[in-house]
């Protein structure tokens, strides 16, 4: 019918083919109730749950004290270990009991103040020793407990040092000191919800973009729809790209709902940079990841297999892209390897634009990498698809 | 026990007694008030298209499915609870639907059997003996170490049977054991089943979607949409819709067809032939009635034949007013203008060859299909039919050879071919979660139709397929027949000149199939569309103008159905049908006497004879010497299935002879 | 209970797992892959943090001060910057995570005995590391500040450095880290990964093995035969428990030998407790398999459940003590949290049955409950 078409007409038909195929994908998605509920869930409720999921701050660490001195100074020191970081759960009469409580996990810190603590401090001849035992079997809280205790101790120590200095004939104010003015940028109060919700959104976009187009393609393979499409004048490109296009639309709508409907109003997540730029790059990420999903789909024979393959890809991608542990902490070879994960670049982009207010100038390398990866993956999927069916 | 016992003990307690059985899935009623009685030693058949309720009934009898109303009694035990159902399971064997699906693909043949035996606590000593015997009977001995997934369809089916029989149950329940298997394997399966059941006195409940398998059963129930249409012995059912079948070859085909259709509800066009079922008429009256209708149209040949079960089935549906037949509209002026004149070649395959690695799937295949011709491609599973279609439709590149489809070169103008052909595949390949209209519009868009054309063609397809009123139903919710017509409609949305159909009617009920063929006939005759079709229903092969039979990737026969039958008759002789009350014994005698091509059909035997006239006298004498009484012996016209089975078995024999000769 | 039928199912299951390439990979490959991924992805300590200085002072002392950070293994020095704007750009682009700003007159003020304030600008986008980075910077700064004070006092009063130290730091805090002396996340999290991975794979295997037969219809072989529900369930469970237990051993070997986490406890007790944890998880998979119809659904449910429980409610990443409200209650509903206690106790604290018997008892009770539920949910005569 259209083998001798005018070029313009050819473009019109080509676009119309792509359009009907994309609408078909969206329609199918909207008919699958379980999938629809899942999509709504990941962009709304799941984000809410994630907001409260992870708490990296020290919270009411249980402290047990052995105060052998019973002096005003020792009580003053103990008094400084306060909530929210610490919580004094008891005192013991001998050190072994303290150790036992640590072993049992009933306490995390054990502060041991020896006899003559106040006296030694008053004399100023020797340093008064205080022992702090910390259960570091949980490393991060262990480290924070240690760090916060050191700060408490330093403040306490400084007050006694002033007395000593005066006694030695020095004005405390005339001793140099380097004060550390801590500034947290981009999230001054270290609100966990900002990072938690965004990281979850990225994870879920990744899962959806990998799974949905792959599952759709495999389902078409299983049901024989693909053969029907292949004997039609559609090109493999149109068959594959319509799925990607549908996925981009779903991702954009979902991200908008999540960002403007959940994260901004309820958790105060800021949008420091350009929202249009963020959405444009989200579309690019959806394209890249959907391409990877389609590659997976060409290797799977049925939905169960595609599920397993996606699982095998999604876990490494999410864990190794720097979404939990910062990239720089990983072995160097792994840092190079993870360059092939689109998510790694999209993490830079998302946190860059939304929290740090970065623009294209700062993110161009991530954008370039993602574009290249996207084209490569899509081409690979297309090549595998062609090879499989003809 | 055996079949002699059956007759004398027919008064004894039934093995299965089902009364007023109802089963629904959520809101959808599957079975509505079915009664069923199975006597000891019977092979009882449940016949009906997909969705008739066969599986639900069989699962309930096997005690693996709950039901909503009615009673099911097996071995006198009322299956009214899970605990009650457990009590029968030691004595039954159940083979669920789906070819080989209940077997374990990664285990070998032997491991599969061993598992079923151990599950049933068969002692190792007994197992060894039974396994040996069953493997020998089914000719699977040399495959005992082969993983089940590497077996052919027919072999999987036989392995399934062994696994069902390994604990020597008293009742076996086989759900569509022959679906998806080619006619040769099917015949083989029935022969083995009959032999094993006879030897062990087992009762069997077997379902099938193939109406022509009815003669394999002692008694049967015809099921349709959850109800029993008829039940009894095959002959009894035949008698429920008395009538005659008139077969004729008229001159002016379309005119004759139109006339006959107006008068008789059941008219089929088969190539240049026509079959008319005339209700409640004996053969001479029937011929007379047909000739009256055809007044003025010259008729080349006309004769009366015994109606087949399919004719009866449809007649019964008409009787009970369950048939919803859509008359085919004559081609409109617009489409008639589309008819390509002359005998232009629409499809031409020239020495097509396709290799998959070292395996040659298609070997030097050549044929031609003219405009307006219906061309049938027959062959067992794996004979290469689908590969040929895939090459001609441009899905698969041929390793060698050339082809022209709809005037375009296969190698150079793939896209042009795609624009000019339509394709309906084996499975329903439209989107089940889209509605009827959405599917049509999707394909209209894919073929680049304008909005105006899309509207016009949508209307045409709805009309042609009898889909009015279903426009906004999801395709998945339609009955099989409607779905297939929708698939056909979508394949025709762009008015292709050539239509490819790959087993399009599997699972479709007989009425649906006839309607489908009416449309195909109309397309070929009125619009000049060339149709290439493959099918597993040998009765459908008769509809084709021309047939090509494929075996191991090659075309081994290429002629019209009638010519093919003549060729086989010339080689092995005519077909005789023998009725006796001791068919198994009779068969043994006949095989001993050198009638090698003897097959068992329930209580009847089919055999080929070079001298049918003398054999008709000789055989009864021969059998009565062995105290076997012959009720009747009659010549029968060859069916396409006879032709197919003859060709394939002959070729298989040749091939194994060559293999042993060289090996 | 007929042992022969049970073993027939178990033996068939075992053969199938060994033969089916995909299932074999899922059974034995997936846990190893997951251990490598999580091992490299979750356990590294916050180290090599990219850091830059904005040194407005350009003095010997400011460079001295910077040296404290540059030499630390925690930081990866990226260079000196000219201005705050430049630091801003690099932080925004994610090229550095910390910038330390040293003000003008840094050396001059300190030499004159005045207080000086430096600024530590930490990228707070990722909150967890930000806290730790702050801790690192605090520690290094107070050490540098203390050194400076010491030498200043010693110089001014003409006393020894030790004496100066007692004056400026009259209290000496001796911190001892117990169980994880180097405070390494690896020692803490890597053992917990055994808990997490078994939580993902063990239920997946059992769930898939039953649902697969539901999908193909092979389950009808069971329905239509004389095998009892308990025999079938036990037959399915047995090989899958064995596989998951073998996996537990492999994972333990990887954690201790490949990732180098110390194991201080009693191996016999640890594997004894692990066996019961595996039974819990496999039973959980069995329960899921009785409720779903497709493999993909079984896969999704086991993975989603495993991730939610493992990440949020097991104590692996967020300590149970840090959970609040309903989350604290939810965590106590799943065996993962208790097994994590067992792991921590066995790996780092050398606790044995004497201390951890309540956990093991709980696994037994939990398994019994799950298997009881399976027994009542399994029907050989179904509705559909």
């Amino acid at each position: 019918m259209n083998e001798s078409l005018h070029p313009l007409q050819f473009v019109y038909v080509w676009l119309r083919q792509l359009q009907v195929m994309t609408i078909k994908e969206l329609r199918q998605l909207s008919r699958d109730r379980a999938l629809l509920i899942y999509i709504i869930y990941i962009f709304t409720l799941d984000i809410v749950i994630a907001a409260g999921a992870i708490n990296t701050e020290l919270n009411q660490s249980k402290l047990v004290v052995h105060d052998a001195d019973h002096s005003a100074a020792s009580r003053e020191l103990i008094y400084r270990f306060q909530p929210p970081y610490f919580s004094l759960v008891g005192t013991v009469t001998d050190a072994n009991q303290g150790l036992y409580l640590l072993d049992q996990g009933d306490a995390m810190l054990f502060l041991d103040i020896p006899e003559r603590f106040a006296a030694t401090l008053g004399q100023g001849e020797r340093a008064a020793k205080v022992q702090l035992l910390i259960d570091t079997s949980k490393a991060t809280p262990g480290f924070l407990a240690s760090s916060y205790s050191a700060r408490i101790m330093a403040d306490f120590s400084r007050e006694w040092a002033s007395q000593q200095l005066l006694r030695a004939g020095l004005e405390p104010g005339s001793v140099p000191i380097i004060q550390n003015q801590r500034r947290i940028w981009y999230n001054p109060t270290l609100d966990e919800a900002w990072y938690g919700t965004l990281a979850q959104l990225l994870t879920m976009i990744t899962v959806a973009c990998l799974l949905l187009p792959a599952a759709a393609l495999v389902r078409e393979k299983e049901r024989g729809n693909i053969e029907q499409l292949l004997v039609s004048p559609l090109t493999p490109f149109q068959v594959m790209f319509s799925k990607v296009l549908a996925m981009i639309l779903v991702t954009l709508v979902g991200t908008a709902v999540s960002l403007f409907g959940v994260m901004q109003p309820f958790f105060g997540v800021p949008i420091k940079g350009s929202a249009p730029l963020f959405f444009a790059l989200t579309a690019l990420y959806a394209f890249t990841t959907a391409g990877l999903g389609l590659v997976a789909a060409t290797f799977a024979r049925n939905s169960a297999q595609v599920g397993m393959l996606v699982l095998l890809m999604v876990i490494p991608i999410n864990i190794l892209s720097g979404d939990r542990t910062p990239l720089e902490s990983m072995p160097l070879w792994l840092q190079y390897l993870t360059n092939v994960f689109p998510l790694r670049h999209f993490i830079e982009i998302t946190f860059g634009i939304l929290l740090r207010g970065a623009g294209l100038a700062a993110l161009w390398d991530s954008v370039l990498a993602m574009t290249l990866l996207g084209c490569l993956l899509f081409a690979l999927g297309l090549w595998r698809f062609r090879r499989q069916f003809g | 026990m055996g079949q002699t016992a059956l007759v004398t003990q027919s008064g004894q307690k039934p093995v299965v007694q089902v009364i007023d059985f109802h089963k629904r899935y959520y809101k959808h009623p599957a079975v509505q008030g079915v009664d069923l009685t199975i006597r000891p030693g019977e092979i009882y058949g449940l016949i009906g298209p997909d969705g008739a309720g066969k599986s639900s009934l069989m699962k309930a009898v096997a005690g693996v499915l709950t039901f909503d109303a009615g009673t099911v009694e097996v071995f006198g035990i009322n299956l009214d609870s899970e605990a009650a159902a457990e009590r029968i399971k030691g004595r039954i064997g159940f083979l669920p639907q789906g070819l080989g699906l209940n077997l374990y693909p990664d285990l070998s043949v032997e491991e599969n059997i061993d598992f079923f035996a151990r599950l049933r606590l068969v002692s190792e000593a007994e197992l060894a003996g039974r396994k040996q015997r069953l493997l020998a009977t089914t000719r699977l001995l040399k495959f005992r170490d082969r993983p089940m997934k590497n077996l052919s369809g027919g072999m999987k089916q036989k392995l399934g049977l062994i696994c069902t029989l390994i604990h020597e149950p008293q009742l076996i329940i086989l759900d569509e054991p022959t679906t998806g298997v080619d006619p040769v394997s099917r015949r083989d399966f029935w022969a083995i089943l009959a032999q094993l059941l006879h030897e062990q006195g087992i009762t069997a409940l077997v379902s099938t979607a193939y109406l022509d398998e009815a003669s394999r059963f002692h008694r049967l129930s015809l099921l349709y949409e959850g109800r029993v249409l008829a039940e009894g012995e095959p002959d009894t059912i035949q008698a429920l819709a008395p009538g005659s079948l008139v077969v004729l070859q008229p001159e002016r085909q379309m005119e004759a067809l139109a006339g006959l259709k107006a008068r008789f509800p059941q008219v089929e066009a088969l190539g240049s032939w026509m079959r008319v079922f005339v209700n409640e008429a004996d053969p001479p009256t029937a011929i007379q009635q047909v000739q009256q209708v055809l007044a003025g149209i010259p008729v080349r040949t006309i004769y009366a034949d015994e109606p087949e079960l399919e004719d009866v089935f449809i007649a019964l549906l008409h009787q009970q007013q369950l048939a919803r037949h859509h008359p085919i509209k004559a081609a409109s002026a617009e489409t008639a203008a589309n008819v390509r004149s002359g005998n232009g070649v629409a499809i031409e395959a020239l020495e097509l060859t396709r290799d998959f690695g070292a395996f040659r799937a298609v070997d030097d295949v050549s044929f031609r299909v003219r405009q307006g011709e219906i061309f049938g491609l027959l062959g067992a599973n794996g004979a290469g039919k689908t590969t040929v279609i895939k090459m001609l439709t441009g899905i698969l590149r041929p390793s060698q050879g050339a082809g022209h489809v709809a005037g375009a070169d296969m190698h150079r103008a793939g896209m042009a071919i795609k624009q000019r052909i339509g394709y309906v595949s084996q499975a329903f390949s439209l989107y089940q979660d889209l509605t009827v209209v959405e599917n049509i519009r999707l394909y209209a868009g894919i073929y680049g139709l304008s909005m105006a054309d899309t509207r016009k063609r949508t209307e045409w397809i709805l009309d042609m397929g009898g889909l009015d009123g279903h426009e906004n139903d999801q395709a998945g919710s339609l009955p099989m027949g409607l779905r297939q017509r929708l698939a056909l409609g979508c394949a025709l949305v762009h008015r292709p000149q050539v239509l490819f159909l790959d087993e399009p009617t599997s699972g479709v009920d007989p009425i649906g199939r006839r309607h489908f063929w009416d449309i195909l006939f109309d397309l070929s005759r009125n619009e000049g569309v060339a149709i290439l079709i493959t099918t597993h229903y040998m009765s459908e092969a008769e509809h084709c103008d021309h047939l090509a039979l494929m075996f191991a990737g090659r075309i081994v026969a290429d002629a019209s159905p009638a010519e093919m039958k003549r060729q086989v008759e010339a080689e092995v002789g005519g077909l005789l049908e023998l009725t006796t009350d001791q068919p198994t014994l009779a068969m043994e005698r006949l095989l001993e006497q050198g009638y090698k091509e003897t097959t068992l059909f329930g209580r009847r035997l089919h055999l080929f004879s070079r001298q049918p006239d003398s054999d008709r006298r000789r055989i009864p004498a021969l059998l009565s010497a062995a105290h076997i009484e012959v009720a009747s012996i009659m010549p029968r016209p060859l069916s396409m299935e006879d032709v197919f089975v003859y060709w394939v078995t002959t070729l298989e024999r040749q091939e194994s002879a060559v293999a042993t000769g060289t090996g | 209970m007929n042992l022969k039928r049970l073993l027939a199912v178990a033996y068939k299951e075992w053969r199938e797992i060994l033969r089916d390439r995909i299932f074999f990979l899922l059974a034995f490959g997936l846990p190893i892959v997951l251990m490598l991924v999580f091992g490299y992805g979750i356990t590294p300590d916050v180290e090599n943090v990219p850091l830059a200085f904005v040194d407005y002072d350009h003095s010997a002392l400011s460079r001295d001060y910077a040296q404290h950070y540059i030499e630390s293994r925690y930081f990866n020095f990226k260079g000196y910057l000219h201005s705050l704007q430049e630091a801003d750009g690099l932080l925004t682009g994610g090229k550095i995570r910390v910038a330390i700003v040293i003000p003008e007159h840094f050396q001059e003020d300190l030499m004159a005995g005045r207080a000086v304030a430096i600024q530590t600008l930490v990228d707070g986008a990722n909150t967890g590391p930000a806290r730790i980075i702050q801790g690192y910077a605090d520690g290094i700064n107070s050490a540098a500040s203390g050194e400076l004070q010491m030498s200043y006092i010693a110089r001014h009063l003409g006393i020894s450095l030790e004496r100066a130290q007692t004056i400026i730091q009259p209290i000496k805090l001796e911190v001892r880290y117990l169980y994880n002396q180097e405070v390494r996340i690896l020692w803490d999290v890597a053992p917990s990964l055994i808990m997490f991975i078994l939580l993902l794979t063990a239920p997946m295997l059992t769930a898939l093995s039953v649902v697969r037969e539901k999908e193909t219809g092979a389950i009808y072989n069971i329905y239509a035969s004389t095998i009892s529900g308990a025999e079938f369930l036990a037959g399915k469970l047995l090989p899958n428990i064995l596989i998951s237990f073998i996996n537990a051993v492999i994972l333990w070997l990887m954690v201790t030998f490949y990732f180098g986490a110390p194991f201080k406890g009693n191996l016999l007790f640890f594997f004894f407790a692990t066996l019961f944890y595996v039974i819990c998880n496999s039973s959980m998979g069995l329960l899921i398999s009785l409720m779903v119809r497709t493999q993909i659904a079984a896969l999704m449910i086991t993975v989603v459940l495993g991730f939610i429980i493992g990440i949020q409610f097991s104590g692996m990443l967020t300590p149970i003590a840090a959970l609040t409200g309903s989350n604290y209650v939810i965590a106590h509903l799943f065996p993962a949290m208790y097994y994590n206690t067992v792991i921590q106790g066995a790996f780092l604290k050398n606790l044995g049955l004497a201390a951890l018997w309540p956990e093991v008892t709980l696994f037994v009770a939990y398994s019994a409950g799950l298997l009881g539920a399976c027994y009542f949910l399994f029907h050989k005569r179904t509705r559909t």
Side-chain angles (χ1 to χ4, degrees), chain A residues 237-248:
Chain A
F237 177 86
Q238 287 168 311
V239 174
M240 303 271 274
F241 194 68
S242 55
K243 289 191 192 338
V244 174
L245 220 50
M247 199 57 230
I248 290 176

Side-chain angles (χ1 to χ4, degrees), chain B residues 14-26:
Chain B
V15 175
V16 177
Q17 176 92 55
V18 176
I19 299 166
D20 197 27
F21 179 89
H22 284 78
K23 173 70 191 173
R24 54 199 306 127
Y25 296 101
Y26 303 105

Side-chain angles (χ1 to χ4, degrees), chain B residues 287-451:
Chain B
I287 291 179
Q288 204 187 339
Q289 285 184 14
V290 169
Q291 277 171 331
Q292 268 172 9
V293 174
L294 292 178
I297 301 172
V299 174
R300 254 173 281 168
T301 326
I302 185 162
Y303 63 89
D305 199 356
E306 209 180 317
E308 285 171 22
L309 189 66
E310 189 170 308
D311 302 306
V312 175
F313 185 89
I314 293 170
L316 285 169
L317 287 178
H318 280 293
Q319 272 179 20
Q320 305 186 11
Q321 267 133 39
L322 288 167
R324 291 176 296 257
H325 198 271
H326 261 268
I328 296 296
K329 298 211 169 128
S332 64
E334 184 206 357
T335 48
N338 227 16
V339 178
R340 286 100 184 154
S341 56
N343 290 340
V345 173
I347 307 173
E348 185 172 35
L350 286 170
E351 294 163 5
L352 280 180
T353 298
R354 171 73 202 202
D355 299 319
F356 293 107
F359 172 66
R360 180 154 285 194
V362 171
D363 188 4
D364 194 21
V365 163
S366 304
F367 59 82
R368 278 165 175 227
V369 183
R370 284 191 306 277
Q371 287 292 344
E373 189 178 43
I374 303 179
F375 184 88
L377 206 52
L378 305 183
N381 292 336
K385 307 180 302 269
T386 303
T387 313
V388 168
I389 291 195
K390 279 186 173 173
M391 286 192 281
L392 290 170
T393 50
I395 305 182
L396 204 64
R397 221 165 250 291
S399 307
Q400 278 167 49
H404 294 269
V405 177
D409 188 311
M410 215 167 80
H411 282 288
R412 278 178 295 138
M415 216 19 129
I417 291 181
K418 286 179 179 182
Q419 286 284 0
R420 296 177 200 173
I421 61 168
Y423 173 69
V424 180
S425 79
Q426 230 159 350
F428 177 71
S429 58
L430 299 184
Y431 294 94
Q432 306 199 6
D433 39 7
L434 297 188
T435 67
V436 168
V437 168
E438 284 167 352
N439 266 301
I440 298 172
R441 291 205 189 122
L442 171 66
Y443 281 93
I446 288 174
Y447 286 97
L449 261 62
S450 70
M451 295 297 171

Side-chain angles (χ1 to χ4, degrees), chain A residues 41 49-50 52-57 59 99 102-105 111 117 121 124-144 146-151 153 156-158 160-161 164-165 168-170 173-187 189-192 195 211 301 303-308 311-312 315-316 319-320 322-331 333-334 348 351-352 355-358 362-363 365, chain C residues 22 26 30 33-34 37-38 40-42 44-50 65 88 91-95 97 106 110 112-132 134-138 141 144-145 148-149 152-153 156-157 163 166-181 183-185 188 192 200 204 208 295-296 299-300 303 307-308 311-312 315-319 321-324 327 340 344 348-349 351 355:
Chain A
Y41 165 79
I49 292 173
I54 290 199
N55 183 7
T56 55
E57 183 55 289
N59 179 29
L99 275 172
L102 284 172
D103 260 351
Q104 288 299 302
L111 183 67
F117 168 71
L121 206 51
E125 297 296 320
R126 289 178 288 116
K129 283 182 184 161
V130 176
Q131 223 184 24
L132 181 65
L133 278 70
I134 305 175
D135 174 357
T136 48
S137 58
K138 304 273 15 137
T140 307
F143 173 78
L144 290 178
S146 156
S147 177
Y148 297 166
S149 312
R151 242 188 262 170
M153 206 54 88
F156 187 75
S157 181
R158 196 172 309 124
W160 283 92
Q164 304 268 18
L165 285 169
L170 261 175
S174 71
V175 177
I177 181 165
I178 309 174
Q179 283 155 353
N180 181 12
Q181 293 187 337
R182 294 185 294 269
R183 295 273 156 77
I184 301 285
W185 278 17
Y186 315 128
N187 185 356
T189 57
L190 285 179
D191 186 339
E192 307 273 359
Y195 182 77
L211 188 63
R301 279 194 302 268
S303 334
Q305 281 185 11
V306 95
M308 289 176 204
L311 181 72
L312 271 178
I315 293 178
I319 299 294
L320 299 176
D323 166 326
R324 300 200 180 276
T325 307
L327 280 175
E328 59 266 13
S329 306
M330 296 180 192
W333 60 269
L334 201 60
E348 290 293 321
F351 290 110
L355 295 187
R356 304 191 189 112
L363 298 168
D365 49 348
Chain C
I22 289 178
L26 203 66
L30 185 65
V33 171
L34 288 180
V37 167
F38 294 138
Y40 284 116
I42 300 185
D45 291 286
V46 177
E47 277 177 15
N48 295 318
V49 178
Y65 177 76
D88 191 357
L91 278 167
T92 306
K95 304 290 179 275
R97 303 239 182 265
F106 178 78
L110 285 174
R114 283 193 291 269
V116 166
I118 56 110
Q119 282 187 4
T120 322
L121 310 176
V122 178
D123 172 4
N126 192 348
T127 41
R131 288 208 167 84
I132 294 173
Q134 268 194 328
Y136 292 158
D138 252 356
N141 178 62
S145 176
L148 196 79
Q149 288 177 328
Y152 180 86
I153 292 166
H156 270 254
L157 299 177
R163 180 72 196 120
T166 34
I167 290 176
I168 199 68
Q169 289 167 3
I171 303 172
K172 192 166 179 210
L173 180 68
E174 286 178 349
V175 178
R176 264 179 58 203
Y177 297 125
L178 294 181
Y179 318 122
N180 180 359
Q181 284 83 358
V183 201
R184 293 184 55 191
I185 295 179
D188 152 14
S192 294
L200 287 171
M204 191 190 296
L208 285 179
Q295 291 190 70
I296 186 113
L299 201 66
M300 285 295 153
V303 171
F307 260 86
I308 292 179
I311 299 278
Q312 299 186 14
M316 174 174 73
L317 296 180
T318 305
L323 295 177
T324 49
N327 284 2
N340 201 47
Q344 299 257 322
L348 297 172
K349 295 187 179 175
L351 296 183

Side-chain angles (χ1 to χ4, degrees), chain C residues 14-192:
Chain C
W14 181 249
R15 300 305 304 225
E16 275 198 291
I17 294 164
L18 294 189
R19 297 267 174 80
D20 184 334
R21 204 171 299 163
I22 289 178
F23 215 73
F24 184 85
L25 273 177
L26 203 66
F28 292 105
L30 185 65
I32 296 176
V33 171
L34 288 180
M35 182 49 103
L36 290 174
V37 167
F38 294 138
Y40 284 116
I42 300 185
T43 65
D45 291 286
V46 177
E47 277 177 15
N48 295 318
V49 178
L51 151 120
F53 279 94
V54 183
D55 185 355
Y56 287 119
D57 196 41
H58 300 291
S59 62
L61 202 58
S62 69
R63 267 190 296 278
D64 241 27
Y65 177 76
Q67 207 56 37
H68 281 90
Y69 293 84
I70 295 169
E71 279 166 7
S72 155
R73 73 182 160 102
Y74 299 135
F75 293 105
N76 177 11
F77 178 61
K78 291 288 185 190
Y80 287 104
L81 308 175
H82 297 294
S83 65
L84 203 56
Q85 281 73 18
E86 202 183 344
D88 191 357
L90 289 177
L91 278 167
T92 306
K95 304 290 179 275
I96 57 169
R97 303 239 182 265
V98 201
I100 295 175
V101 186
I102 302 175
E104 277 180 326
H105 314 302
F106 178 78
Q107 178 168 329
E108 195 188 318
D109 286 350
L110 285 174
M111 286 314 213
R114 283 193 291 269
V116 166
I118 56 110
Q119 282 187 4
T120 322
L121 310 176
V122 178
D123 172 4
N126 192 348
T127 41
R131 288 208 167 84
I132 294 173
I133 294 168
Q134 268 194 328
Y136 292 158
D138 252 356
I140 293 175
N141 178 62
S142 53
S145 176
E147 259 176 51
L148 196 79
Q149 288 177 328
M150 248 158 42
S151 57
Y152 180 86
I153 292 166
R155 206 163 54 240
H156 270 254
L157 299 177
I159 53 174
S160 71
L161 275 175
E162 283 92 65
R163 180 72 196 120
Q165 191 176 12
T166 34
I167 290 176
I168 199 68
Q169 289 167 3
I171 303 172
K172 192 166 179 210
L173 180 68
E174 286 178 349
V175 178
R176 264 179 58 203
Y177 297 125
L178 294 181
Y179 318 122
N180 180 359
Q181 284 83 358
E182 294 173 40
V183 201
R184 293 184 55 191
I185 295 179
L186 177 83
W187 288 25
D188 152 14
V189 177
S192 294

Side-chain angles (χ1 to χ4, degrees), chain A residues 150-340:
Chain A
R151 242 188 262 170
I152 290 172
M153 206 54 88
D155 288 344
F156 187 75
S157 181
R158 196 172 309 124
E159 285 156 31
W160 283 92
S162 312
Q163 288 185 24
Q164 304 268 18
L165 285 169
L166 281 171
R167 209 181 303 165
L170 261 175
E171 187 61 31
S174 71
V175 177
I177 181 165
I178 309 174
Q179 283 155 353
N180 181 12
Q181 293 187 337
R182 294 185 294 269
R183 295 273 156 77
I184 301 285
W185 278 17
Y186 315 128
N187 185 356
T189 57
L190 285 179
D191 186 339
E192 307 273 359
W194 293 11
Y195 182 77
T197 51
L198 280 173
Q200 189 67 15
L201 177 66
L202 296 192
T203 304
M204 286 302 151
I205 290 179
T206 309
V207 173
C209 286
L210 273 176
L211 188 63
L212 299 189
L217 185 61
V218 167
R219 203 173 41 189
E220 286 187 336
K221 273 209 288 197
E222 276 179 313
R223 293 191 181 166
N225 305 132
I226 281 290
E227 281 186 31
Q228 193 74 49
L229 297 181
L230 285 170
V231 298
S232 77
L234 287 178
T235 60
F237 177 86
Q238 287 168 311
V239 174
M240 303 271 274
F241 194 68
S242 55
K243 289 191 192 338
V244 174
L245 220 50
M247 199 57 230
I248 290 176
L249 289 174
V250 170
T251 307
L252 284 179
V253 172
T255 307
V257 166
S258 188
L259 199 57
F260 299 121
V262 181
M263 290 155 74
Q264 241 188 355
F266 295 107
F267 301 106
V269 177
I271 302 176
K272 278 187 76 181
S274 147
L277 178 65
F278 173 66
F279 280 100
L281 294 177
T282 303
L284 177 63
Y285 178 65
F287 162 73
T288 307
T289 308
L292 183 59
L294 290 177
V295 172
T298 61
F299 284 96
R301 279 194 302 268
N302 52 50
S303 334
Q305 281 185 11
V306 95
M308 289 176 204
L309 268 175
V310 166
L311 181 72
L312 271 178
M313 295 193 306
V314 109
I315 293 178
I317 289 178
N318 264 305
I319 299 294
L320 299 176
S321 283
D323 166 326
R324 300 200 180 276
T325 307
L327 280 175
E328 59 266 13
S329 306
M330 296 180 192
L332 205 59
W333 60 269
L334 201 60
Q335 294 183 37
Y336 287 118
L337 193 75
T338 51
N339 268 314
V340 304

Side-chain angles (χ1 to χ4, degrees), chain B residues 23-41:
Chain B
K23 173 70 191 173
R24 54 199 306 127
Y25 296 101
Y26 303 105
K27 287 183 181 154
H28 168 71
V31 186
Q32 311 174 63
V34 164
D35 297 332
L36 183 69
T37 308
I38 304 174
R39 300 183 204 126

